[in-house]
Amino acid sequence: MQYRVLIYVLSCGIFSIEQSIACMPHSPDDVFIARYQAAHAVQGQNSQFKIQLNSDQFIFRSLFDEFRYARPTQWYSSFSPDSIVKNSLIIGLAYSPNGDKPEQYEIVSFAALSCENDRLSIAEPIVPFLAWNKQTSNCAVGNRKSVGILDGFLKHDQRYYLVKLQQKYPTCQQLNAAFPTMGIHDIQHNNDLFSTFKSWWEKLLNYFRSSL
């Protein structure tokens, strides 16, 4: 959490420390794309849901960010996305709120991501979220119809990031190839591969961190 405060203070320049703590706008590092699978209520917590995703990727993070962020193994949210169909492609905002459990990510909100005739489009966010308002220079919970999922950053708006996404995935085929719909056997095989890769990658990261 302290790291996120420092980044926003440095990037904005006009914030005081008190304002930054009170208003924590999200950054492009929080943007992920995934295939939605299911939501399950967390036992004993009425407003907490465990979200199951496949083919998840943080799309604007650099290779160096692999050293700064833990890869999510569990996703949570304070809302239940009942209206989202299984295997739907979504784009959302998520971050790790607990420094002791950096692999657990909290989903702030997300929206359906569609592609038709090789053109990407983003629906309204499923729930409102805290967003940076460039006109008034403050944070507010934006209306879903007026604030897109990629509208709440300190710099640039959703149109800018949609262009970057279109450049990254110029065709629907490339988008679907990057975020495939997996069957049960594919998921099991992917989990086995990921477990092997994760073990190797964590050893490599720990080696570099210990060398710093």
Side-chain angles (χ1 to χ4, degrees), residues 3-211:
Y3 171 79
R4 290 170 62 86
V5 171
L6 178 60
I7 288 298
Y8 289 125
V9 170
L10 294 176
S11 62
C12 184
I14 63 172
F15 283 156
S16 68
I17 294 177
E18 291 81 6
Q19 286 173 318
S20 298
I21 293 175
C23 171
M24 293 287 289
H26 294 277
S27 81
D29 288 348
D30 299 332
V31 179
F32 71 92
I33 294 178
R35 292 282 179 181
Y36 173 79
Q37 296 301 302
H40 305 284
V42 178
Q43 191 171 15
Q45 299 186 35
N46 296 332
S47 60
Q48 189 77 354
F49 298 88
K50 187 173 183 179
I51 308 298
Q52 183 182 347
L53 303 176
N54 286 337
S55 302
D56 50 284
Q57 297 180 37
F58 282 89
I59 54 175
F60 294 131
R61 290 184 180 180
S62 66
L63 182 61
F64 177 73
D65 288 332
E66 294 290 342
F67 294 89
R68 297 196 295 163
Y69 300 103
R71 195 187 191 288
T73 58
Q74 293 179 319
W75 302 82
Y76 292 92
S77 75
S78 59
F79 59 92
S80 177
D82 296 329
S83 61
I84 303 298
V85 178
K86 182 178 179 180
N87 285 324
S88 293
L89 199 57
I90 61 172
I91 181 169
L93 300 170
Y95 69 103
S96 178
N98 189 337
D100 294 329
K101 298 179 180 179
E103 74 285 351
Q104 295 184 4
Y105 275 64
E106 183 77 16
I107 298 175
V108 177
S109 186
F110 63 77
L113 177 63
S114 303
C115 186
E116 187 174 351
N117 297 324
D118 294 333
R119 300 300 299 177
L120 299 178
S121 62
I122 301 175
E124 297 174 7
I126 189 169
V127 293
F129 62 99
L130 192 65
W132 177 251
N133 188 316
K134 298 176 185 61
Q135 283 70 43
T136 58
S137 296
N138 63 10
C139 271
V141 176
N143 184 285
R144 283 183 288 179
K145 293 183 178 180
S146 60
V147 180
I149 196 69
L150 305 181
D151 269 330
F153 305 137
L154 293 177
K155 296 181 179 179
H156 308 301
D157 57 14
Q158 181 157 294
R159 288 175 297 179
Y160 172 86
Y161 289 104
L162 191 56
V163 170
K164 291 177 70 71
L165 284 176
Q166 190 69 62
Q167 293 170 345
K168 191 177 181 71
Y169 310 106
T171 69
C172 298
Q173 182 178 6
Q174 288 173 296
L175 177 68
N176 290 322
F179 304 95
T181 302
M182 294 185 291
I184 185 64
H185 298 295
D186 298 319
I187 294 172
Q188 182 61 49
H189 178 64
N190 185 72
N191 287 341
D192 292 342
L193 291 176
F194 174 69
S195 296
T196 301
F197 174 76
K198 180 182 177 184
S199 176
W200 174 85
W201 185 242
E202 286 178 343
K203 290 179 182 178
L204 181 63
L205 289 181
N206 289 334
Y207 170 78
F208 281 108
R209 285 167 179 160
S210 64
S211 301

